[in-house]
Amino acid sequence: MTIDTELKPHDTIPKAEKPVLVCILDGWGENENKDKFNAIHSAETPVTDALKEVPGRWRTVRAHGTAVGLPSDADMGNSEVGHNALGSGQVIDQGARLVDIALDNGSAFELDGWKYISESFPDNTVHFIGLLSDGGVHSRCNQLVGFLKGAAKDGAKRIRVHILTDGRDVPDGTSVKFVEELEKDLAELSGCDAKIASGGGRMHVTMDRYEADWKIVERGWQAHVLGEAPHKFTTALEAIKTLREGDGSKAITDQWLPPFVVTDDGGKAVGTIEDGDAVVLFNFRADRMVEISKAFEYEEFNAFDRKRFPKTRFVGMMQYDGDLKLPARFLVPPPAISGVSGELLAKAGVSTFACSETQKFGHVTFFWNGNRSGYFKEDLETYVEIPSDAVPFNEAPDMKAREITEAGKEALLSGKYQMVRINFANPDMVGHTGDLEACVGACSLVDKCVKELLDTVESLGGRWLLTADHGNADDMVQRAKKTNAPLFADSGAPLPLTSHTLAPVPVAIGGPGLPEGIKFRDDLPNAGLANITGTYLNLLGFATPAHMEPSLI
Ligand SMILES: O=C(O)[C@H](O)COP(=O)(O)O
Ligand SMILES: [Mn+2]
Ligand SMILES: [Mn+2]
């Protein structure tokens, strides 16, 4: 397929003289469940509700499954694939699918990355580190098992798995089931000594992102590499069950479990990482693997004291940062995304401002730009990161929404930028805590912030597009499969849903600068996030590039 390299003018929409705002409400799904557990429905949202009444300028699009390049429509969307689609206007085969394909056709075991780690199979240990879950957002356990079997088949004599427990993309408590299944799979690996060696909860151990809290990575390094942790057990299953009980008064959920090390009966760690070992990060998704990758890859490293730096054959499942070439070696090549809107706009001389807080800064820049860090044209682009709080977000649900709003208004009023894109993290990050009340408050605040941004664009005579990247806040309770009825614990408390949802997301357009007759087409019932790119390019006065999904207008 040919990639357009130049933007052409739209045949009816004049080039935008005033700013165009693109605002992403992260995790804001449009869910048909309109009961009290839909935090968006329960919140005060007069502004986003009113947009639904504007004829031909509000609709929903798919943000999950094959619409965003994931293996099946059972796969929920996520920020990474969502912002890839929003920024590129293309449906890109995503990490999960690329790994499935490489495992199915066996190419995973012929590529350079696999050959490289195979050198450690006969005499050393091969370590697998990643999220143990079938959530399919960062990893999927059947892929781990595929690689474990491949290693045993190719002669690995000693295998160790270091597991991060989920309970965020999947219901809390499922870690027990995943560990039981993994222990069984490891026992069935013929001819090699295979064990779980360490682990911890994903939000507390190893899986930090955007350098929000390096201590999370340090705890993981100590457990996985050094065999040091506050908690030691002789089996992972006992570790998980015991640690989930917490200190008796307050249970600890899967995503927050403390680090643990598995030891032999003599108390010696069964799987420290030593010179000559192979290390595989088995998450396909980049954002929460970048920091631990730097700890394994870089001689020069000062984010924490590693105590020792084993010379390992280190690979990622994928390359997690294409510009940093991090890690240098990987098992499955990353999705190639060319012809993204940011590159085309920079080439057309359009000035762009992008802003979010730490937790979503990488999404509204790196993932938006097709897995590229940095600018396309430094003199035309400005990216602003507002540092996120390092606290559980249900304790500070406002997060940095107000500061982001101020930054967005300033950029719009400055007259320096033709396009301003903003991501509000609250509905997703507070949604992940499972705290319904905090999430309702967060969504009410976001609605107020949206009003401030839209009013600013309208005062300038500009145009705007409002959307989201996947659902999360739109459903905060686990539900029975068939009836969709909320599920409750024995205590009577609702079982919180901390994951994303399969709900479509809203798309709305408007602004005094938008010519009267511009409305959404009604012949794209299955449109997805990738159709939004052409839409905002139209708002900027450009035709939809041939290699992108059709515009919604
Ligand atoms: O990484 C996380 O927090 C979740 O697994 C996915 O959330 P995101 O895709 O919204 O970042
Ligand atoms: Mn998101
Ligand atoms: Mn999320």
Side-chain angles (χ1 to χ4, degrees), residues 19 21 23 353 355 386 401-417 420-422 424 448-460:
L21 167 74
C23 184
F353 176 88
C355 174
I386 292 169
R402 291 189 182 81
E403 293 83 346
I404 291 170
T405 303
E406 287 317 306
K409 282 163 65 177
E410 195 181 320
L412 286 164
L413 294 166
S414 73
K416 281 170 56 186
Y417 304 103
V420 170
R421 68 174 177 268
I422 299 284
F424 285 110
K448 284 192 180 61
C449 293
V450 165
K451 172 162 180 49
E452 288 198 41
L453 287 179
L454 297 192
D455 287 354
T456 306
V457 175
E458 310 224 331
S459 73
L460 292 164

Side-chain angles (χ1 to χ4, degrees), residues 68 102-103 106 148 154 223 233 285:
V68 288
L103 277 169
L148 289 170
D154 286 4
F233 297 89
R285 172 155 154 175

Side-chain angles (χ1 to χ4, degrees), residues 98-161:
L98 293 172
V99 175
D100 286 345
I101 292 168
L103 277 169
D104 291 348
N105 67 24
S107 63
F109 304 111
E110 268 106 53
L111 294 168
D112 293 350
W114 188 259
K115 288 195 171 57
Y116 176 62
I117 62 165
S118 302
E119 292 160 44
S120 296
F121 288 177
D123 309 318
N124 299 85
T125 303
V126 52
H127 299 264
F128 290 85
I129 305 174
L131 184 68
L132 186 65
S133 160
D134 65 2
V137 173
H138 290 267
S139 66
R140 204 174 340 99
C141 24
N142 72 315
Q143 294 179 348
L144 167 64
V145 174
F147 282 103
L148 289 170
K149 287 181 173 164
K153 179 164 155 292
D154 286 4
K157 288 288 160 280
R158 194 168 185 268
I159 295 177
R160 292 293 181 266
V161 187

Side-chain angles (χ1 to χ4, degrees), residues 27-243:
W28 187 290
E30 185 64 30
N31 203 310
E32 76 270 4
N33 280 321
K34 297 258 187 277
D35 60 19
K36 70 170 186 169
F37 297 107
N38 178 334
I40 297 165
H41 177 68
S42 299
E44 293 295 311
T45 56
V47 176
T48 48
D49 288 346
L51 301 181
K52 297 179 184 177
E53 310 311 319
V54 181
R57 291 190 167 182
W58 186 93
R59 64 165 286 170
T60 63
V61 293
R62 297 149 59 94
H64 75 291
T66 56
V68 288
L70 293 171
S72 89
D73 283 352
D75 290 305
M76 54 193 145
N78 66 65
S79 297
E80 170 196 354
V81 302
H83 287 74
N84 268 180
L86 286 167
S88 73
Q90 302 160 61
V91 179
I92 305 291
D93 272 344
Q94 285 298 337
R97 182 156 162 63
L98 293 172
V99 175
D100 286 345
I101 292 168
L103 277 169
D104 291 348
N105 67 24
S107 63
F109 304 111
E110 268 106 53
L111 294 168
D112 293 350
W114 188 259
K115 288 195 171 57
Y116 176 62
I117 62 165
S118 302
E119 292 160 44
S120 296
F121 288 177
D123 309 318
N124 299 85
T125 303
V126 52
H127 299 264
F128 290 85
I129 305 174
L131 184 68
L132 186 65
S133 160
D134 65 2
V137 173
H138 290 267
S139 66
R140 204 174 340 99
C141 24
N142 72 315
Q143 294 179 348
L144 167 64
V145 174
F147 282 103
L148 289 170
K149 287 181 173 164
K153 179 164 155 292
D154 286 4
K157 288 288 160 280
R158 194 168 185 268
I159 295 177
R160 292 293 181 266
V161 187
H162 305 265
I163 59 168
L164 302 163
T165 51
D166 190 352
R168 183 176 176 93
D169 298 329
V170 289
D172 178 46
T174 49
S175 61
V176 174
K177 170 185 75 172
F178 293 130
V179 168
E180 285 167 343
E181 286 166 0
L182 178 59
E183 297 279 16
K184 198 164 56 59
D185 291 325
L186 290 171
E188 286 166 8
L189 292 179
S190 56
C192 69
D193 157 18
K195 286 189 178 70
I196 298 173
S198 78
R202 58 174 287 177
M203 293 301 282
H204 191 58
V205 178
T206 301
M207 281 177 64
D208 184 45
R209 71 176 164 196
Y210 310 140
E211 309 200 357
D213 182 359
W214 271 100
K215 286 199 303 300
I216 295 171
V217 184
E218 182 173 15
R219 288 185 206 105
W221 180 270
Q222 288 166 345
H224 310 325
V225 180
L226 307 178
E228 293 166 5
H231 304 278
K232 300 196 174 196
F233 297 89
T234 54
T235 72
L237 192 55
E238 185 199 353
I240 303 287
K241 289 179 171 175
T242 310
L243 294 173

Side-chain angles (χ1 to χ4, degrees), residues 26-27 77-79 137-138 168-169 202 209 285 288 360 363 425 427-429 431-432 469-472 498-500:
D26 208 300
N78 66 65
S79 297
V137 173
H138 290 267
R168 183 176 176 93
D169 298 329
R202 58 174 287 177
R209 71 176 164 196
R285 172 155 154 175
R288 294 182 184 276
K360 297 297 174 185
H363 296 89
D428 183 59
M429 296 312 289
H432 280 302
D469 61 337
H470 54 78
N472 188 336
T498 60
S499 71
H500 296 164

